[in-house]
Amino acid sequence: MATPMRKPVLVPESDFTADALFRTHQQRIVRLCRMLLGNPDDADEVSQEVFLKMLGQRERGPEPTDWRAWLTRVAINACHDRHRSGWWKWWKRDGRELLDTDLTARDTVHEAISHEQTEALWRSFRKLTPRQQEVFVLRQVEGWSTREVAESLSLSEQAVKLQLFRAMRRLREALRSER
Amino acid sequence: MKRCLDENELIRLWTAEPAEFPDLRAHLAQCSRCATGYKQLARDAGTIAGALTVAADHLRWRDRAATHGAYVRLGNRRRTAVIFSGAAAFGGAAAFALMLALGWHPERAATRLAQASANSLVTNGAGNPPASAGAVVAAESRTTAPLNNGSLYEVDAIARDPLAGLTYGAAVQAGNSNAGDDLLFCVPDDDGAICGSSAEQGWPII
């Protein structure tokens, strides 16, 4: 099983200032929204909404013990709402493709897979159902456990596994198709 | 378990908790081929997650996406226009069909006029056919079909010479055989003709 990659938290996040919380999580939340929405503009808007809610939560209290999980959960819900509210906007945008293939960053991932594979993976990921995307992102990218994902998305653990199974099968097909 | 695991079983094993599927895990511990497949699957999962993460970080609109989006929007508008036009055409056709079903049938004003005047006789105040009207009939008869009963020659005469304003039918040639009828008096108009009976015009009926 893939090893979850969780960021070690040395200082209790409740001690962070709002600015520090923003700087710590902003990039991750934007990336999460981009993955779930597939649209950089909407992702920026939604991530700003998420941090506005974070400010409100800090003012109202009580502060969550784990800001990372709280922000992720709020971001997932906000993306979900965006999917629902803007259905017709999505319909109008169906012809706009998203990935800038000029991926100049060099890291192990890019050395491991080709440009075409990355693009094929992205397209395949966009074709997954929103639920499959959420499960895959939370489980594989955020490194949550099956139980945490199930609680966050109000699903049974079995349903989480099933969604992950389907997502993984399709993504692996896409990866292999470009090999 | 001796049979090797297929891909679905490997993925199911990968999504499961460590305590689940003990028989599959036992096979995995013994079979190097399946173990290799499982490790490859785990590697693929990491590769996919990493690739998607980097792709999301570099996500932005392509230049050509704007153009393509314009095509899509144009296509949407065209589609909308076609839908509305089709709906309007269908509505019109349905209304026409309904009118036909209710007994209405299309009839040109000229046809109505010709039929109405076929057996009519127009006279002047003294009760004699006006000579000029006869001239019109003669003139028209040169260019139109022979003056059969019910023909439309008189309608053409009216359309070409509003002053003629009077229509003749076969009854004219038949020597006022229908004298005594309430005659039809017609004047050409944009819609074809305006007709009224001779009684309405205050003319005496012979």
Side-chain angles (χ1 to χ4, degrees), chain B residues 166-186:
Chain B
L166 305 173
T167 60
Y168 298 86
V172 175
Q173 290 185 315
N176 298 339
S177 59
N178 292 326
D181 287 351
D182 183 7
L183 303 175
L184 196 65
F185 178 87
C186 297

Side-chain angles (χ1 to χ4, degrees), chain A residues 1 95 98 110 119 161 172, chain B residues 14 16 20 54 60 62 68:
Chain A
M1 177 165 305
L98 304 168
H110 279 92
E119 196 163 337
K161 288 174 193 168
R172 210 170 177 221
Chain B
W14 174 76
E20 289 180 302
V54 177
R60 69 173 187 199
R62 280 177 176 164
H68 187 54

